[in-house]
Amino acid sequence: MRPELAAVLRRPLTRSCWEDTWFLVTGLVVGIFGFALVISAVSTMASLSVLIIGVPVAVLMARLDRWWCALERRRAARVLGRPVFARYAVPYTEGGRFVRWFAVLRDRQTWLDALWMLVAFPLGIVGFVAAVTLWSAVLALLSAPIWLWSIPGWIHHHDVFLSILFPLLAPAMAVLTAWAVRALTLNHGGIAARLLGESRAEMLERRVETLAETRAGAVDAAVAELQRVERDLHDGAQARLVALAMDLGLAEQRLANADPETAMEHVAAARGQAREAMAELRDLVRGIGPSILTDRGLDAALTALVAGRHPPVTLRSEYPGADVGAREIAAYFVVSEALTNARKHALASTISVHVWADVAQRLLVEVVDDGVGGADMRDGSGLTGLAKRLAALDGTLNVSSPHGGPTTVRAEIPCAS
């Protein structure tokens, strides 16, 4: 079966499908609250407009609407797989207090926030009804053998056929429902992004600035990686090979002087140097990029990476991607660096690795250890290089490492498309 078709059929069993469903179901509650909030704000402002107190109340309501719409932006960003930035006007710093307070009501985005809170209510109703109805139909098909025979007057010969047919139709209905829910979720989130987020021109301007910063960071990370490889070769494998050559030379001299016992000691030392040089070269190549990652995919590469580790590592991989691109390589290095830090610096006794794709098909990596904590991305460590590598892919790296632990390293890498 082709991977694309398998992904389509597997959709009802994925975590992202149920996150979409949860988004639509909770959208009704969110829509009702937002609708009530904006209606209350408008009615309050209208009733107090003839009084002096009307203006500060209106500003307070506008601030409350902004807080609520900030939550809505986060909800939309989660399902769309990209941030939704607000486009509020720059606050006034000149003029009197009344001018500065009243400026929020002259901001175009304030009224777009109010419009969204009105629109979110009918959208929430549609999403809730559709999600509940469609999934109820799937459950009805699955439970047909129970409810068909429980209806009085339906004990006929065709009930046996329907009791077999309906459950067989349930998987197809589940696939259609999963993708219908996905379409409704993207529509809901897209409308929210258009009303609550930046315009296309503003998004392009922000994108250009972000690209300039992240590409510069990617160049710095590449230079740092090259310097690391050169340093490891010079201080590690190269030094081992020099010692190996010296031991072999001494062994050759001892054999020429008819001193086989001393020569064998030098040969044994040379063999040990060769083993250590091979191990260091293997680690160095693994740091550049393992062949198993490109040959067999991310899941196999991570399995090989955590195998035989001390402390033991628990791996849970739910990432269905078979192709290997820049984001899979970046995810591999996130896990590798986090495991190295947990072993060398955190003194962890247990480590867990979780890899999965969310509703927006972002590749998510989370590494948790029970070590001493204290990891900091600002000290020029390997985590800094990882953050720059992910930024070049529009990804993010978040590290939570309080003193005393635990440490959580979480990477989010968006879809390449």
Side-chain angles (χ1 to χ4, degrees), residues 314-326:
T314 302
L315 173 64
R316 184 157 62 101
S317 178
E318 302 172 5
Y319 181 62
D323 298 333
V324 175

Side-chain angles (χ1 to χ4, degrees), residues 200-343:
R200 183 173 296 274
E202 292 169 334
M203 291 176 61
L204 289 176
E205 182 179 356
R206 179 184 292 273
R207 179 64 175 165
V208 170
E209 295 176 355
T210 302
L211 286 175
E213 295 176 359
T214 57
R215 275 28 177 193
V219 172
D220 294 340
V223 172
E225 183 69 12
L226 179 59
Q227 292 175 345
R228 182 191 69 82
V229 172
E230 293 175 346
R231 182 179 65 253
D232 290 348
L233 281 174
H234 182 272
D235 298 339
Q238 182 178 344
R240 299 292 183 189
L241 293 175
V242 170
L244 169 63
M246 294 178 60
D247 285 329
L248 290 176
L250 291 173
E252 184 180 12
Q253 292 178 5
R254 294 301 180 181
L255 286 174
N257 296 330
D259 188 2
E261 293 183 359
T262 306
M264 290 300 296
E265 292 178 359
H266 288 297
V267 170
R271 186 168 60 248
Q273 295 287 355
R275 284 197 299 265
E276 292 178 2
M278 290 175 61
E280 291 181 356
L281 286 173
R282 185 163 53 248
D283 292 340
L284 181 61
V285 171
R286 179 180 293 177
I288 297 175
S291 58
I292 189 175
L293 178 59
T294 55
D295 294 340
R296 299 177 56 190
L298 179 60
D299 186 63
L302 292 179
T303 301
L305 180 64
V306 304
R309 286 271 184 170
H310 182 77
V313 180
T314 302
L315 173 64
R316 184 157 62 101
S317 178
E318 302 172 5
Y319 181 62
D323 298 333
V324 175
R327 69 174 190 163
E328 286 77 16
I329 296 174
Y332 176 87
F333 283 118
V334 168
V335 176
S336 178
E337 181 68 24
L339 292 181
T340 300
N341 290 342
R343 185 179 73 254

